[in-house]
Amino acid sequence: MGTDSYKDKKVITIGIVRDLTGLSERQIRYYEERKLIFPERSAGGSRKYSFSDVELLVEIANKIEDGVQTHEIRKEMLKAQKRENQGEVRRKMIQGQLNAQFGLRKGPASK
Amino acid sequence: MGTDSYKDKKVITIGIVRDLTGLSERQIRYYEERKLIFPERSAGGSRKYSFSDVELLVEIANKIEDGVQTHEIRKEMLKAQKRENQGEVRRKMIQGQLNAQFGLRKGPASK
DNA sequence: AAACCATGTTAGGAAACCTTCCAAACTTGT
DNA sequence: ACAAGTTTGGAAGGTTTCCTAACATGGTTT
């Protein structure tokens, strides 16, 4: 279930992201404004990104270059996420069926 | 051959490292002065660390807590690295033997 | 044409970092 | 025992990095 460790840890400041992606800070902040990316914030308010974010930004940059608008990119992303959640739901439903089939309980062992 | 990608990329600033390790910035800089850790630098001079560096710092912190001096820690690290290089050398020697055995060349196909 | 999109740029201010120095409480070497 | 070294904190002063807000521009939709 989502191997975290590193890839998803938000530890990279915007300047480094700029260097890693080749985008301008202006662009990076704008894509956030358009809800394509969601950095965390430090106590003082500085943005913090993960390597996943960096990868996503590169994908975004490619689409933009192909003339796709942030608006459209956002839709695609929501759709993709919905697919993911679908899978999640399906998995849970199957799990539920199995539990029913074998009469398992969720609590810490029924009496 | 050292799977890079993320773990070894120097992208984390000292403030984040402080938060991740619980060490003070003073300590982190001091361990660098004692040649236990080697951050890269941004164009402007800010230190940049990798996740590997963070892990190493935690190990260092543990040893320090056990009363080991930076001096000793450094020796241990050099020894450990020597062992690594030994392995590296052995591997290359074996590779060399294989090459000799099968009459392989290193250049782009001998005439 | 009016509205929107994507980016650059500027300005002023705050956060984060940097080096250097002094201090203090220990620990070690002689 | 005493000098020398270790480890850490903290302050000062300076530079870099980041933040938001606003205005400008050229291109695209509506």
Side-chain angles (χ1 to χ4, degrees):
Chain A
M1 44 185 74
T3 168
D4 203 70
S5 224
Y6 309 139
K7 197 152 182 255
D8 294 327
K9 260 200 145 134
K10 309 252 182 176
V11 297
I12 312 180
T13 53
I14 196 168
I16 306 271
V17 173
R18 165 176 39 64
D19 295 345
L20 290 177
T21 61
L23 295 169
S24 69
E25 297 185 17
R26 182 68 170 88
Q27 287 174 305
I28 298 168
R29 295 201 187 98
Y30 180 65
Y31 300 152
E32 175 182 358
E33 188 183 323
R34 302 317 300 269
K35 303 203 185 309
L36 299 182
I37 194 141
F38 306 92
E40 287 180 2
R41 296 287 186 135
S42 75
S46 296
R47 273 167 261 249
K48 297 188 300 180
Y49 303 85
S50 67
F51 280 112
S52 293
D53 291 333
V54 170
E55 289 185 2
L56 180 52
L57 278 169
V58 170
E59 286 181 39
I60 292 169
N62 287 337
K63 296 197 177 166
I64 293 273
E65 207 159 357
D66 294 349
V68 186
Q69 293 192 329
T70 55
H71 187 248
E72 285 304 315
I73 298 176
R74 174 151 171 75
K75 272 195 215 164
E76 290 177 27
M77 283 174 51
L78 287 177
K79 214 178 289 183
Q81 183 162 0
K82 192 156 288 184
R83 272 196 293 277
E84 267 185 45
N85 290 349
Q86 269 294 336
E88 183 73 0
V89 166
R90 201 176 304 125
R91 225 200 60 234
K92 282 185 180 160
M93 283 178 60
I94 289 166
Q95 191 63 40
Q97 281 185 255
L98 284 175
N99 287 351
Q101 191 73 19
F102 292 97
L104 299 176
R105 290 289 173 282
K106 45 210 157 167
S110 57
K111 58 164 179 166
Chain B
M1 44 186 75
T3 168
D4 203 69
S5 222
Y6 310 137
K7 197 153 182 255
D8 293 329
K9 259 197 147 136
K10 308 252 183 179
V11 297
I12 313 180
T13 54
I14 196 167
I16 307 272
V17 173
R18 166 177 37 67
D19 295 346
L20 291 177
T21 62
L23 295 168
S24 68
E25 296 186 17
R26 183 69 172 81
Q27 287 175 306
I28 298 168
R29 296 201 185 97
Y30 179 65
Y31 300 152
E32 175 182 359
E33 188 184 323
R34 302 316 302 271
K35 303 202 184 309
L36 299 182
I37 193 137
F38 306 92
E40 288 180 1
R41 296 285 186 136
S42 76
S46 295
R47 273 166 263 250
K48 297 189 300 181
Y49 302 85
S50 67
F51 279 112
S52 293
D53 291 333
V54 171
E55 288 186 2
L56 181 51
L57 278 170
V58 170
E59 286 181 36
I60 291 169
N62 287 337
K63 295 194 179 168
I64 293 274
E65 207 159 357
D66 293 350
V68 187
Q69 293 194 328
T70 56
H71 186 250
E72 285 304 314
I73 298 176
R74 175 151 169 75
K75 273 195 212 164
E76 289 176 28
M77 283 174 50
L78 288 177
K79 215 179 288 181
Q81 183 162 1
K82 192 157 288 180
R83 272 195 294 278
E84 268 185 44
N85 290 347
Q86 269 293 336
E88 183 72 2
V89 166
R90 199 176 306 127
R91 225 199 62 234
K92 281 185 180 160
M93 283 177 59
I94 289 166
Q95 191 62 41
Q97 280 184 255
L98 284 176
N99 286 352
Q101 192 72 19
F102 292 97
L104 298 176
R105 291 287 173 284
K106 48 210 155 170
S110 56
K111 57 164 177 174

